[in-house]
């Protein structure tokens, strides 16, 4: 129950204030712009190539949006002193963190739902597999889930939004560069870095319409680790 | 109903609280006094369930704070000095949210909401966004969130700080009303506030509880001290005072206008007798009053460790 109470409060905060709408509007505007420039308006292309490009564009924006949404989550509670309300509530730290995660995921889901018209436009002059679309969106959702968890974990460490956002971005970018770094290192680091590659190794499969359980497990693991980290930081702060 | 036993809290090697014990029953407003660093905030944080004690126990209605903190948190309402509020929410939605966070069902919250808003004197502001409220009203919202779950213990840290005189007067009434059926613990630096709102005082110094009792009991000794101003010679006055059977000690000071001021400590509260005897002895009595603010004297004495009242 506490998880949903926290989620409802945070979702309200995103949607009652202007910040949530600004982030959503900007993300949707840029997605639409890229879809026109790199997709529909980029000359003759196969429909599935346009769809892959769409998911590629969306993936980048999902990561940026997730970081922007979550950098405030726990940091702002500390900054405003409202973390006292969480700490003096019977809610466990895990429930609080899960609530914040669900709220950010809710906003991201709204954003992704509002992009559906773009793949639908491909059907006007082309043909793509609905399964490809569904798999791509599942990948975006998984990528968003993991990035949100990283954002919340980072937000748990700071009292201010800005350093929280910067740290989350540094973590994500480092993981994005994993595939590049793996080429420059020796075993066993090569395999490790190749595996943790945030995008190249795990998202491109979704982008191409291929569903691998290992990729879902990967993003699920990142989500789990991020949320667990944030929970432990909160627990440490409550009993500090 | 609330029992604190041998409460001790260390921050590293530093003992912020040492062996503090007290017991309070419902219907009382408890005042926590002490200078900065005396251990007031640490005591309040432990009682609010924010930090655990290093040793000792806190029980509310028999529930142990350390063993069952989650269970106890719904029975405790806490308002820090700066009211923790979500500025983007309306008063009603915020208080409703806190009720849910305290484990109440939606129907329980709705049933209790009107009473809570009335207790916190928030009538007419129910649908106002908190960010647009004045500091005084935010304090009231803070009180509403602290009592929505009908807690057994309400902790108010400096509840009148930053309020104007009218708001302070209103807040006193709110605090008195809160004590019906529960314990209210108030921490304040303003002794006048504590004097006017609290039934029982706890005085902390260097993490130790150095005195506790009613204001009357703590200040009883101070009624033996008085300041007098008489027309007459200082030497004559001090000679007369030291011979008087009711006077324990007297310090005199000649004033520039020919009068003499004296701080007199009586063996018992014999103020009327001393006044009558002074006049009978031919001293022109200009002034006779208590030697300063009684509670302030006690507080300063206890807080600095120079006196041992009560």
């Amino acid at each position: 129950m506490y998880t949903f109470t926290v989620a409802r409060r945070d979702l309200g905060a995103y949607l009652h204030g202007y910040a949530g709408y600004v982030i959503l509007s900007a993300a949707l505007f840029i997605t639409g712009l890229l879809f026109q420039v790199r997709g529909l308006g980029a000359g003759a292309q196969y429909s599935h190539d346009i769809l892959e490009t769409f998911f590629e564009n969306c993936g980048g924006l999902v990561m940026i949006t997730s970081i922007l949404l979550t950098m405030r989550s726990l940091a702002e509670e500390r900054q405003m002193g409202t973390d006292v309300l969480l700490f003096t509530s019977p809610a466990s730290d895990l429930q609080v963190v899960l609530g914040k995660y669900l709220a950010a995921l809710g906003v991201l889901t709204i954003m992704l739902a509002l992009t559906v018209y773009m793949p639908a436009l491909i059907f006007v002059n082309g043909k793509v597999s609905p399964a490809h679309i569904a798999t791509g969106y599942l990948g975006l959702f998984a990528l968003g889930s993991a990035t949100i968890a990283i954002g919340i974990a980072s937000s748990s460490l700071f009292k201010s939004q800005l350093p929280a956002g910067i740290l989350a971005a540094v973590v994500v970018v480092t993981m994005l560069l994993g595939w590049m770094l793996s080429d420059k290192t020796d075993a066993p680091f090569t395999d490790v870095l190749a595996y943790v590659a945030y995008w190249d190794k795990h998202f491109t499969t979704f982008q191409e319409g291929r569903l691998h359980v290992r990729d879902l497990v990967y993003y699920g693991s990142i989500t789990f680790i991020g949320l667990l980290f944030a929970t432990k930081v909160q627990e440490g702060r409550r009993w500090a | 109903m609330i029992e604190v036993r041998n409460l001790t809290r260390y921050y590293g090697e530093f003992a912020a609280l040492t062996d503090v014990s007290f017991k309070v029953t419902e219907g009382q407003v408890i005042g926590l006094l002490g200078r900065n660093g005396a251990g007031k905030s640490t005591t309040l944080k432990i009682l609010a369930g924010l930090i655990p004690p290093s040793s000792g126990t806190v029980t509310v209605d028999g529930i142990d704070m350390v063993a069952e903190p989650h269970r106890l948190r719904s029975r405790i309402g806490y308002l820090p000095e700066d009211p923790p509020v979500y500025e983007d929410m309306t008063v009603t939605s915020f208080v409703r949210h806190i009720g849910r966070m305290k484990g109440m069902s939606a129907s329980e919250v709705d049933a209790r909401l009107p009473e809570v808003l009335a207790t916190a004197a928030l009538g007419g502001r129910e649908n106002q966004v908190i960010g647009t409220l004045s500091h005084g009203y935010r304090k009231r919202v803070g009180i509403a969130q602290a009592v929505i779950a009908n807690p057994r213990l309400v902790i108010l840290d400096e509840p009148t700080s930053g309020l104007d005189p009218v708001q302070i007067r209103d807040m006193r009434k709110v605090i008195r009303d809160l004590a019906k059926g529960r314990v209210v613990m108030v921490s304040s630096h303003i002794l006048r506030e504590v004097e006017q709102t609290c039934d029982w005082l706890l005085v902390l110094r260097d993490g130790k509880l150095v005195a506790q009792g009613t204001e009357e009991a703590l200040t009883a000794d101070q009624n033996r001290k008085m300041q007098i101003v008489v027309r007459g010679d200082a030497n004559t006055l001090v000679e007369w005072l030291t011979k008087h059977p009711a006077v324990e000690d007297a310090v005199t000071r000649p004033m520039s206008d020919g009068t003499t001021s004296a701080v007199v400590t009586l063996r018992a509260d014999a103020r009327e007798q001393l006044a009558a005897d002074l006049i009978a002895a031919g001293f022109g009595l200009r002034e006779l009053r208590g030697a300063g603010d009684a509670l302030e004297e006690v507080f300063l004495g206890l807080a600095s460790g120079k006196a041992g009242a009560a």
Side-chain angles (χ1 to χ4, degrees):
Chain A
M1 184 190 94
Y2 296 119
T3 299
F4 293 109
T5 305
V6 174
R8 197 168 59 178
R9 144 74 205 150
D10 268 37
L11 200 55
Y14 284 127
L15 301 179
H16 289 152
Y18 62 88
Y21 288 105
V22 168
I23 294 169
L24 277 186
S25 306
L28 286 170
F29 176 73
I30 293 168
T31 311
L33 214 59
L34 287 172
F35 184 64
Q36 172 61 23
V37 173
R38 298 184 67 203
L40 294 183
Q45 291 182 74
Y46 287 114
S47 297
H48 67 83
D49 286 340
I50 295 176
L51 190 61
E52 280 184 34
T53 305
F54 164 74
F55 285 128
E56 187 180 87
N57 297 338
C58 269
L61 282 160
V62 159
M63 287 187 284
I64 295 168
T65 306
S66 299
I67 291 170
L68 289 175
L69 286 173
T70 52
M71 64 186 202
R72 61 180 283 187
S73 62
L74 288 165
E76 194 178 47
E77 299 272 7
R78 277 183 80 185
Q79 191 174 35
M80 303 299 288
T82 47
D83 53 349
V84 167
L85 299 171
L86 304 174
F87 292 150
T88 54
S89 141
S92 71
D93 297 301
L94 177 63
Q95 287 169 320
V96 169
V97 168
L98 279 177
K100 299 214 162 266
Y101 164 75
L102 286 180
L105 205 59
V107 178
L108 194 72
T109 305
I110 292 170
M111 188 194 94
L112 290 177
L114 292 173
T115 64
V116 170
Y117 76 94
M118 285 180 257
L121 280 175
I122 298 173
F123 285 102
V124 176
N125 287 314
K127 193 178 177 186
V128 286
S129 155
H132 187 173
I133 296 174
T135 306
Y137 271 106
L138 181 63
L140 290 175
F141 198 75
L143 180 70
S145 166
T147 313
I148 283 170
I150 291 170
I152 290 175
S154 177
S155 185
S156 70
L157 292 171
F158 297 96
K159 204 175 179 178
S160 170
Q161 298 182 33
L162 190 61
I166 290 171
L167 179 64
V170 167
V171 171
V172 169
V173 169
T174 304
M175 291 172 75
L176 280 173
L177 296 177
W179 65 276
M180 287 172 72
L181 295 169
S182 69
D183 286 348
K184 312 288 180 197
T185 53
D186 299 321
F189 299 109
T190 303
D191 295 336
V192 173
L193 287 169
Y195 180 74
V196 299
Y198 205 52
W199 178 287
D200 186 63
K201 189 86 175 175
H202 301 284
F203 186 73
T204 47
T205 48
F206 288 108
Q207 193 183 324
E208 292 161 6
R210 290 181 290 125
L211 178 61
H212 291 293
V213 174
R214 64 152 199 253
D215 299 324
L216 283 175
V217 169
Y218 169 78
Y219 286 119
S221 304
I222 301 283
T223 303
F224 176 78
I225 292 167
L227 298 182
L228 185 69
F229 180 88
T231 303
K232 292 296 169 192
V233 171
Q234 288 292 97
E235 282 176 0
R237 186 157 295 132
R238 176 179 268 185
W239 294 115
Chain B
M1 147 207 170
I2 292 166
E3 190 170 4
V4 172
R5 257 195 232 166
N6 308 113
L7 207 60
T8 299
R9 169 72 196 194
Y10 284 94
Y11 292 111
E13 296 290 310
F14 174 70
L17 217 55
T18 310
D19 217 18
V20 170
S21 301
F22 58 88
K23 195 189 283 187
V24 288
T25 52
E26 67 179 33
Q28 286 188 311
V29 180
I30 311 297
L32 197 58
L33 288 172
R35 294 168 67 181
N36 287 335
K40 299 192 301 295
S41 293
T42 301
T43 306
L44 294 184
K45 281 180 181 174
I46 292 172
L47 291 174
L50 281 171
I51 57 171
S54 302
S55 64
T57 57
V58 177
T59 55
V60 178
D61 291 342
I63 302 169
D64 188 344
M65 168 65 79
V66 177
E68 299 178 275
H70 289 283
R71 196 173 155 210
L72 208 49
R73 281 185 186 120
S74 59
R75 291 167 187 253
I76 295 171
Y78 178 49
L79 173 63
E81 187 172 353
D82 290 321
V85 289
Y86 293 120
E87 296 190 352
D88 57 308
M89 297 179 97
T90 64
V91 171
T92 303
S93 59
F94 173 69
V95 179
R96 190 174 276 136
H97 168 71
I98 297 300
R100 301 284 284 151
M101 285 297 288
K102 288 284 186 182
M104 300 169 79
S105 68
S107 56
E108 283 172 337
V109 174
D110 287 339
R112 183 149 166 74
L113 201 55
E115 187 191 335
V116 168
L117 294 176
T119 304
L122 280 164
R125 307 280 177 163
E126 296 91 338
N127 297 314
Q128 195 165 335
V129 175
I130 295 172
T132 64
L133 290 173
S134 68
H135 184 66
Y137 272 101
R138 285 181 192 214
K139 284 264 186 188
R140 294 183 194 192
V141 174
I143 284 187
Q145 66 82 21
V147 300
I148 181 68
N150 203 10
R152 305 295 286 156
L153 170 64
V154 177
I155 299 165
L156 308 174
D157 195 355
E158 303 281 351
T160 55
S161 73
L163 301 185
D164 66 36
V166 176
Q167 290 172 328
I168 288 174
R169 188 196 59 200
D170 294 345
M171 184 59 79
R172 274 188 217 134
K173 184 180 179 311
V174 169
I175 293 170
R176 292 299 325 170
D177 289 346
L178 286 180
K180 289 169 190 161
R182 59 172 71 93
V183 171
V184 178
M185 186 164 269
V186 177
S187 148
S188 180
H189 289 98
I190 306 168
L191 296 175
R192 187 65 60 194
E193 280 312 310
V194 173
E195 212 171 20
Q196 293 189 16
T197 49
C198 299
D199 306 303
W200 191 263
L201 304 176
L202 303 168
V203 186
L204 289 170
R205 184 182 72 228
D206 299 333
K208 297 187 178 86
L209 186 64
V210 289
Q212 62 174 311
T214 61
E215 190 234 332
E216 291 76 20
L218 289 177
T219 58
D221 249 20
Q222 295 301 310
N223 291 334
R224 299 196 295 118
K225 272 191 179 172
M226 56 192 298
Q227 184 169 14
I228 58 172
V229 178
V230 299
R231 184 170 34 78
D233 176 58
N235 291 332
T236 315
L237 178 65
V238 77
E239 194 180 331
W240 184 86
L241 284 171
T242 48
K243 285 180 183 165
H244 194 283
V247 175
E248 186 178 289
D249 182 43
V251 180
T252 58
R253 184 160 60 98
M255 309 294 282
S256 57
D257 60 355
T259 60
T260 299
S261 168
V263 175
V264 181
T265 305
L266 301 171
R267 294 189 199 284
D269 187 4
R271 286 172 289 182
E272 293 92 337
Q273 183 61 49
L274 183 70
D277 292 347
L278 275 167
I279 294 167
F283 290 103
L285 184 60
R286 294 280 184 89
E287 218 174 287
L288 186 147
R289 59 187 165 84
D293 187 310
L295 185 58
E296 190 171 303
E297 293 290 327
V298 171
F299 173 71
L300 290 173
L302 289 168
S304 63
K306 289 176 184 166

